[in-house]
Amino acid sequence: DKYKEAAEILDLMLKNEKENDELWYLRAVVCLKTKAYESALEYLERALILREKAEYYTMQGMVFFETFDFENAIDSFKHSIQLDSNDINAAFLTAISYMMLDRPESSHYLNIALRINPKKAKTMLLNSYGLLIKNDPRVSEETKKKIEYEMGIL
């Protein structure tokens, strides 16, 4: 499969370029795609030791998000936002993480995402609502109604 092949190539490259943060990041991406979450976090940690980049923190947050570790996801996304205040993915995923925890901070980060790129943020919200929120019993009906209101569904 293509991810196994990519992993093998990256592993060979990393033997000679242990100080290349981009290679560690790409190796983490492959792990995330194959749901090898623990390995993804290890590779991201190596990339972040070599260079702090917003996209590395966003990817780290995505790993935590996919494993339902929303508190750590929020921490990672906030690091990303500190490094790049225009990172719409980090801002949006921070909002969704707070929504999953049913915390009011979600609206602040949703507003940040909307300020960065209103059209993309609304598309992301609509997609996320259908995939993650609408049928999730952990999200309160009140929160769902707020989201639906903001999206113009109601």
Side-chain angles (χ1 to χ4, degrees):
D1 96 16
K2 65 182 179 182
Y3 293 120
K4 183 178 179 185
E5 186 180 338
E8 290 170 358
I9 292 167
L10 287 165
D11 288 343
L12 284 173
M13 293 174 76
L14 281 164
K15 284 183 182 179
N16 298 320
E17 297 183 59
K18 287 181 174 42
E19 302 300 309
N20 187 326
D21 59 292
E22 286 284 332
L23 291 178
W24 291 110
Y25 169 75
L26 291 172
R27 188 62 179 90
V29 171
V30 171
C31 288
L32 179 61
K33 294 287 187 183
T34 59
K35 302 191 182 316
Y37 301 116
E38 205 169 298
S39 295
L41 290 172
E42 288 175 24
Y43 292 129
L44 284 164
E45 200 59 43
R46 288 180 184 222
L48 284 163
I49 287 168
L50 294 169
R51 183 178 310 162
E52 283 195 292
K53 289 177 79 172
E55 66 187 293
Y56 299 173
Y57 280 113
T58 299
M59 182 62 63
Q60 184 182 54
M62 290 170 71
V63 174
F64 288 128
F65 187 91
E66 282 201 23
T67 58
F68 303 100
D69 184 352
F70 299 115
E71 294 288 349
N72 279 321
I74 289 166
D75 289 342
S76 295
F77 295 139
K78 284 183 173 181
H79 278 293
S80 180
I81 293 166
Q82 285 176 339
L83 293 171
D84 178 3
S85 61
N86 289 315
D87 186 341
I88 188 170
N89 294 319
F92 181 79
L93 289 168
T94 302
I96 296 297
S97 296
Y98 276 126
M99 283 182 199
M100 298 303 283
L101 296 171
D102 204 16
R103 300 224 332 243
E105 296 95 320
S106 62
S107 62
H108 172 73
Y109 288 93
L110 183 55
N111 285 328
I112 291 172
L114 286 165
R115 191 177 64 241
I116 294 168
N117 186 332
K119 186 176 181 181
K120 183 174 181 182
K122 287 177 183 176
T123 300
M124 293 168 80
L125 185 58
L126 194 55
N127 291 341
S128 296
Y129 181 76
L131 289 172
L132 300 171
I133 299 167
K134 187 176 183 180
N135 298 314
D136 190 326
R138 294 171 296 175
V139 180
S140 72
E141 289 303 315
E142 181 183 341
T143 299
K144 290 176 188 177
K145 293 258 186 265
K146 280 186 215 172
I147 295 166
E148 290 171 0
Y149 177 77
E150 286 196 19
M151 292 188 324
I153 293 173
L154 288 179

